[in-house]
C-alpha cells in the first residue's frame, strides 16, 4: 500500500525488485496519493509489478484490494517506507514450504532514520507458543516483515477498516 510516500518509495520498490527470489508478483496499490508516488511507480517497467490506484480508503482497504488481486500461494507484506533485505522473500518462502503447519513467517527488523542508520531493533520470538502468549501483551509481528499463506487470509476474512491496528486484529483471527 502506498499513500504519499514519495520520499522513500523508490528505495522500497528497489528492495523488492532486487530480491534473490525472482518468481513473484509485486502488487502496488496507490491509496489516493496526492504527491508524486504514482509517477515514481509508473517509472518502473518490471513485468512483475501490478499497479492499482484507488481513492483513499485507508490501509485496510488498500491491503484488501491487493489481496483480492493476488494469485500467489503466499502474501508478503511491506509498507512503502520499508526496505526488505535481498534474501527476505527467498528465505520466507523456503521456511513456509518446510513448515506447512505454520500460517505466518515474520522477521525481526530495525527502525532506521532518514539516513538509513538503525536506531532501534526489534526482538524476534520464534516458538509458536511464545508468539501466542506475546499477543496478549503486544503485537509480536512487524507487519512489514510478514509472509503468510493466502489461503489463511481467505479463510479468516479481510482486514477490518474499523480497527486502529488492522494487523493486530488479523493475527487474533488467525490464532
Amino acid at each position: 500500500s502506498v499513500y504519499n510516500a514519495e520520499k522513500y518509495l523508490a528505495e522500497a520498490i528497489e528492495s523488492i525488485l532486487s530480491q534473490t527470489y525472482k518468481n513473484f508478483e509485486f502488487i502496488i496499490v496507490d491509496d489516493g496519493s496526492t504527491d508524486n508516488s504514482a509517477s515514481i511507480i509508473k517509472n518502473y517497467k518490471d513485468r512483475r509489478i501490478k499497479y492499482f490506484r484507488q481513492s483513499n480508503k485507508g490501509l485496510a482497504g488498500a491491503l484488501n484490494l491487493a489481496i483480492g488481486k493476488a494469485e500467489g500461494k503466499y502474501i508478503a507484506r511491506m509498507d512503502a517506507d520499508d526496505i526488505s533485505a535481498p534474501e527476505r522473500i527467498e528465505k520466507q518462502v523456503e521456511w513456509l514450504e518446510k513448515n506447512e503447519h505454520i500460517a505466518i513467517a515474520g522477521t525481526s527488523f530495525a527502525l532506521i532514520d532518514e539516513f538509513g542508520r538503525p536506531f532501534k531493533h526489534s526482538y524476534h520470538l520464534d516458538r509458536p507458543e511464545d508468539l501466542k502468549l506475546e499477543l496478549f501483551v503486544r503485537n509480536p509481528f512487524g507487519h512489514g516483515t510478514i509472509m503468510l499463506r493466502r489461503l489463511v487470509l481467505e479463510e479468516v476474512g479481510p482486514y477490518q477498516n474499523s480497527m486502529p491496528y488492522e494487523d493486530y486484529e488479523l493475527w487474533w483471527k488467525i490464532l
Side-chain angles (χ1 to χ4, degrees):
S1 175
V2 175
Y3 180 72
N4 291 343
E6 68 183 1
K7 187 172 181 180
Y8 303 107
L9 185 55
E11 190 171 5
I13 290 172
E14 293 293 335
S15 79
I16 296 299
L17 294 178
S18 62
Q19 290 289 304
T20 56
Y21 187 89
K22 303 293 184 192
N23 184 22
F24 61 85
E25 58 186 346
F26 186 5
I27 300 170
I28 303 174
V29 177
D30 183 347
D31 191 36
S33 294
T34 57
D35 65 358
N36 290 320
S37 293
S39 61
I40 292 168
I41 297 163
K42 289 177 183 177
N43 278 333
Y44 289 91
K45 304 301 181 205
D46 193 293
R47 62 175 176 73
R48 296 172 293 182
I49 294 176
K50 295 180 178 179
Y51 172 65
F52 302 94
R53 183 172 170 82
Q54 67 180 15
S55 61
N56 184 259
K57 293 184 169 72
L59 182 58
L63 296 177
N64 289 334
L65 173 61
I67 291 164
K69 300 293 184 180
E71 297 176 15
K73 183 176 179 180
Y74 303 113
I75 304 286
R77 266 282 291 124
M78 192 174 107
D79 291 315
D81 62 349
D82 291 343
I83 301 167
S84 284
E87 295 179 338
R88 174 204 170 181
I89 294 175
E90 179 180 6
K91 288 180 177 183
Q92 287 181 313
V93 166
E94 182 179 293
W95 196 83
L96 285 168
E97 287 290 313
K98 290 178 182 175
N99 296 279
E100 293 183 12
H101 61 289
I102 300 293
I104 305 169
T107 70
S108 40
F109 57 92
L111 297 176
I112 58 175
D113 65 18
E114 64 271 15
F115 305 106
R117 296 181 303 230
F119 65 90
K120 183 178 180 182
H121 295 272
S122 72
Y123 62 91
H124 180 69
L125 300 171
D126 57 5
R127 295 179 343 144
E129 57 273 17
D130 292 338
L131 289 165
K132 289 175 185 176
L133 288 173
E134 191 75 3
L135 271 171
F136 287 102
V137 180
R138 70 172 186 92
N139 185 347
F141 297 103
H143 201 192
T145 75
I146 62 98
M147 179 180 284
L148 66 160
R149 298 178 192 284
R150 185 169 53 96
L151 292 175
V152 170
L153 278 175
E154 291 171 357
E155 184 178 322
V156 300
Y159 286 96
Q160 301 298 311
N161 282 316
S162 61
M163 299 296 291
Y165 299 102
E166 69 291 319
D167 56 330
Y168 198 51
E169 184 264 348
L170 180 65
W171 311 148
W172 276 106
K173 288 195 305 188
I174 292 171
L175 177 63

